[in-house]
Amino acid sequence: MFWIKDRPALVSAHPIYDITAALPPDAPVVTSPHAFTEQDLRPLLAEAEVLCISMMWRDEFLDLPPNLKMIQSISAGVDHFPMGRLKERNIPLCTAGGTNSRTVAEHTLAFLLNISRRLYAARDDQKVHHWNPPRHGRSDRQSGLRGGLRFRGLKGTC
């Protein structure tokens, strides 16, 4: 990929996280101020060669940066991007698929533990200083049931 200058012009956009703040000072990119809103983003797109974006994509953005060479989506799902138009312009779309897979798996297991042990009920009882006997004894379980979980890791693609 050939950049207009010796380092690509990176524009980042996310409504919550300042992506450029996470870059090291010697990152091999030229950065614009981070865009937290669509209004902030629009004027920055004219100079963008690399667009790092999440939660703000609009198909019309593809027409605004004449030198756009790559898009990095900061999400796993990219079905909202115009794949045909990106292919026509030869702009690769990179995803963040798999970057949070372990965290999502741990979060899922925590929810399952919460539900199976009724931790939400114990929390509510504790708030009102009501101490019940444990609600997770064998009497409220279906005997003979077995379950399993299978998690499949994902890798980001470009």
Side-chain angles (χ1 to χ4, degrees):
M1 221 174 268
F2 297 101
W3 310 112
I4 292 174
K5 300 175 186 160
D6 58 338
R7 299 184 309 161
L10 170 72
V11 172
S12 64
H14 191 284
I16 300 167
Y17 306 112
D18 182 349
I19 298 163
T20 56
L23 294 173
D26 60 344
V29 293
V30 176
T31 60
S32 298
H34 178 80
F36 287 99
T37 67
E38 188 176 323
Q39 292 75 26
D40 295 341
L41 176 60
R42 285 182 179 278
L44 301 174
L45 287 172
E47 301 298 320
E49 292 180 272
V50 176
L51 177 59
C52 188
I53 190 167
S54 184
M55 299 172 61
M56 292 171 51
W57 178 257
R58 305 280 178 271
D59 287 354
E60 65 200 63
F61 290 168
L62 195 52
D63 300 323
L64 300 176
N67 299 311
L68 187 64
K69 294 184 177 48
M70 185 175 86
I71 297 173
Q72 170 66 58
S73 172
I74 316 227
S75 63
V78 292
D79 54 344
H80 57 284
F81 285 91
M83 298 302 196
R85 290 185 62 206
L86 291 170
K87 189 172 184 173
E88 286 172 11
R89 287 194 50 193
N90 199 27
I91 297 173
L93 173 63
C94 304
T95 76
T99 56
N100 292 319
S101 59
R102 182 179 179 132
T103 303
V104 170
E106 291 170 355
H107 199 77
T108 302
L109 288 173
F111 275 129
L112 291 172
L113 177 62
N114 181 15
I115 292 167
S116 70
R117 303 297 279 187
R118 298 178 47 93
L119 297 177
Y120 57 90
R123 177 210 57 216
D124 293 347
D125 288 345
Q126 185 180 30
K127 282 183 183 178
V128 296
H129 302 285
H130 184 80
W131 312 114
N132 283 322
R135 299 176 188 204
H136 50 74
R138 294 264 178 223
S139 62
D140 65 348
R141 292 186 183 173
Q142 298 282 336
S143 64
L145 291 179
R146 296 282 185 263
L149 297 173
R150 182 175 173 202
F151 294 99
R152 193 177 110 194
L154 301 173
K155 294 181 180 174
T157 60
C158 181

